Amino acid sequence: MILPEVSVNADGDLVAVPSGSTVLADLLVEYEAELTRAAPEVIDLLRPGLPANEIRSMLAEIGVVPSDDVIAWFSWHDGRYFPTDRWAPALHPFVYPTDLAGSIALYKSLSPLSETVWSWKEGWLMLSNGLVGLMISSDQATDSPSLVQFCDEDNFPGTKGTRPRSVTLCPLVTMWIKYIRSGAVAWRGGAWSLDISKSDPLLRSGLF
């Protein structure tokens, strides 16, 4: 697969050309192929994906109409298993994917608190476990594309923090593939190791 070109737009966010739901689906397949080659232990712990109608039904219970990116993500894999006999590695450095049920449970727990917690905004779903990690703007009440953001105490969902955002999941997954192919990210001894010197300068942005 020829990967999309990733660049920074006028808002300082990462964009990919081309992008869209079909491109994202192809990128996720390509990333899984890279994982199968580089880190088969990670692939073994990924749960099967969910049907699109089930994703829509589950999110309808919290009043969220999922974006194409949200459907593509949870259709690809619905989080990961947590074995009791060993440590469960990250999907990518610092990314521990949650299943949709877990994401919805966190959404419900935060929703009553709304913007009093880290300026958290309704319509944002966690893609990884806990309050620190990847979040995506999921509600399609507007025609704006999904934004993906790494959230921590300095980077609140829906705000401009110290890290750039990704416009849709396409730049994110493209970067993950490039990280592995360049050797900037490598699987060694049962864990991910980083060598940022081997990455494209654009990929040193600190987004993921």
Side-chain angles (χ1 to χ4, degrees), residues 127-183:
L127 297 182
S128 51
N129 292 317
L131 286 171
V132 175
L134 290 179
M135 292 192 82
I136 186 169
S137 60
S138 55
D139 201 335
Q140 291 302 282
T142 69
D143 293 330
S144 301
S146 290
L147 287 175
V148 184
Q149 190 166 344
F150 192 96
C151 295
D152 56 25
E153 63 273 13
D154 297 318
N155 297 271
F156 309 140
T159 64
K160 291 291 286 184
T162 59
R163 299 171 184 258
R165 299 171 300 186
S166 176
V167 180
T168 79
L169 280 163
C170 288
L172 164 69
V173 181
T174 299
M175 290 169 67
W176 286 356
I177 294 169
K178 288 185 175 182
Y179 270 132
I180 292 180
R181 289 181 178 177
S182 69

Side-chain angles (χ1 to χ4, degrees), residues 13-29:
D13 300 328
L14 298 182
V15 294
V17 178
S19 64
S21 56
T22 301
V23 174
L24 176 57
D26 290 343
L27 284 169
L28 289 169
V29 170

Side-chain angles (χ1 to χ4, degrees), residues 26-194:
D26 290 343
L27 284 169
L28 289 169
V29 170
E30 189 74 12
Y31 183 59
E32 182 157 349
E34 294 291 342
L35 281 179
T36 301
R37 176 187 59 80
E41 298 97 321
V42 175
I43 288 293
D44 291 343
L45 291 177
L46 295 180
R47 294 160 54 96
L50 299 174
N53 61 343
E54 184 174 347
I55 295 170
R56 292 189 182 95
S57 176
M58 291 174 67
L59 288 173
E61 296 180 5
I62 58 172
V64 171
V65 179
S67 65
D68 290 342
D69 278 37
V70 171
I71 292 174
W73 178 264
F74 289 107
S75 294
W76 177 55
H77 286 290
D78 183 32
R80 62 176 182 156
Y81 296 109
F82 291 87
T84 58
D85 60 339
R86 58 193 169 110
W87 175 72
L91 173 66
H92 186 79
F94 316 116
V95 178
Y96 298 87
T98 186
D99 60 4
L100 181 56
S103 182
I104 290 173
L106 184 59
Y107 188 96
K108 288 179 177 178
S109 70
L110 288 178
S111 188
L113 303 176
S114 189
E115 297 186 18
T116 62
V117 178
W118 288 4
S119 300
W120 180 84
K121 296 181 183 298
E122 292 189 1
W124 284 76
L125 287 174
M126 288 299 301
L127 297 182
S128 51
N129 292 317
L131 286 171
V132 175
L134 290 179
M135 292 192 82
I136 186 169
S137 60
S138 55
D139 201 335
Q140 291 302 282
T142 69
D143 293 330
S144 301
S146 290
L147 287 175
V148 184
Q149 190 166 344
F150 192 96
C151 295
D152 56 25
E153 63 273 13
D154 297 318
N155 297 271
F156 309 140
T159 64
K160 291 291 286 184
T162 59
R163 299 171 184 258
R165 299 171 300 186
S166 176
V167 180
T168 79
L169 280 163
C170 288
L172 164 69
V173 181
T174 299
M175 290 169 67
W176 286 356
I177 294 169
K178 288 185 175 182
Y179 270 132
I180 292 180
R181 289 181 178 177
S182 69
V185 167
W187 184 257
R188 295 189 178 94
W192 292 109
S193 63
L194 301 175

Side-chain angles (χ1 to χ4, degrees), residues 184-207:
V185 167
W187 184 257
R188 295 189 178 94
W192 292 109
S193 63
L194 301 175
D195 185 352
I196 301 302
S197 67
K198 294 182 179 179
S199 72
D200 185 289
L202 179 64
L203 306 187
R204 302 174 194 171
S205 61
L207 176 59

